[in-house]
Amino acid sequence: AFVRRLQARAGAAVRVLALVDESGFRRRFTGLEGETRLQQRREAWRRLLDECGCQVVFADLSQAHRTID
């Protein structure tokens, strides 16, 4: 609901971008199972935000110099 309201308020000429910090998730889930779960989580975020017309960027903010996706 928040993203939809934000996009509506911004107007059609403005594209809302969601930044998803994966640092905590990456710390908790490691190895091959962690990568599988990370991909599932990303896909869930994409589906949710696509419905709102919002683009998503994934980043590990504990690694400030490196963007993921």
Side-chain angles (χ1 to χ4, degrees), residues 20-28 41 59-63:
V20 176
D21 178 16
E22 298 179 330
S23 58
F25 192 90
R26 286 178 169 276
R27 275 193 306 276
R28 288 188 302 275
R41 183 175 187 260
D60 181 341
L61 295 181
S62 69
Q63 304 289 326

Side-chain angles (χ1 to χ4, degrees), residues 11-65:
V14 177
R15 181 93 171 161
V16 174
L17 178 77
L19 175 63
V20 176
D21 178 16
E22 298 179 330
S23 58
F25 192 90
R26 286 178 169 276
R27 275 193 306 276
R28 288 188 302 275
F29 300 100
T30 59
L32 183 57
E33 182 180 347
E35 278 301 313
T36 300
R37 293 190 69 177
L38 180 64
Q39 292 306 318
Q40 292 168 341
R41 183 175 187 260
R42 285 179 173 183
E43 189 54 38
W45 274 113
R46 283 187 184 105
R47 280 193 309 271
L48 175 71
L49 293 168
D50 279 350
E51 291 175 12
C52 301
C54 182
Q55 184 178 358
V56 62
V57 174
F58 301 96
D60 181 341
L61 295 181
S62 69
Q63 304 289 326
H65 66 280

